Amino acid sequence: DLVVHTDGTMQQTVEQVELDNTFHALADERWARIRATGQTVGWEDAKAYLASRAQGGRPRKPAARIPNE
């Protein structure tokens, strides 16, 4: 149940639901791509990429590959 508050809480709730739906749609698309190709990015490669980005670097995105190949 949505409750309308004078402080705009209902609008925030609707916006959060929309964001959640967008997030889940993107996750579903990515999962479908993984299932179709079998390709993923290894955690160590992703972690190194993200750490470099967090420090202001501009590393090349890690390549997706089929695990154990």
Side-chain angles (χ1 to χ4, degrees):
D1 294 291
L2 290 178
V3 178
V4 179
H5 296 280
T6 57
D7 65 359
T9 304
M10 184 175 123
Q11 182 178 354
Q12 289 176 339
T13 302
V14 170
E15 289 172 358
Q16 186 61 52
V17 168
E18 291 171 348
L19 288 171
D20 290 348
N21 288 342
T22 300
F23 173 82
H24 288 289
L26 179 59
D28 289 343
E29 289 172 19
R30 289 179 176 176
W31 181 241
R33 190 175 331 128
I34 289 169
R35 291 184 55 132
T37 66
Q39 294 183 326
T40 60
V41 173
W43 169 240
E44 292 300 322
D45 294 340
K47 186 167 71 170
Y49 171 78
L50 293 171
S52 180
R53 289 288 308 247
Q55 294 176 354
R58 295 185 57 191
R60 187 175 287 186
K61 287 185 179 181
R65 62 181 186 277
I66 295 175
N68 300 322
E69 282 194 6

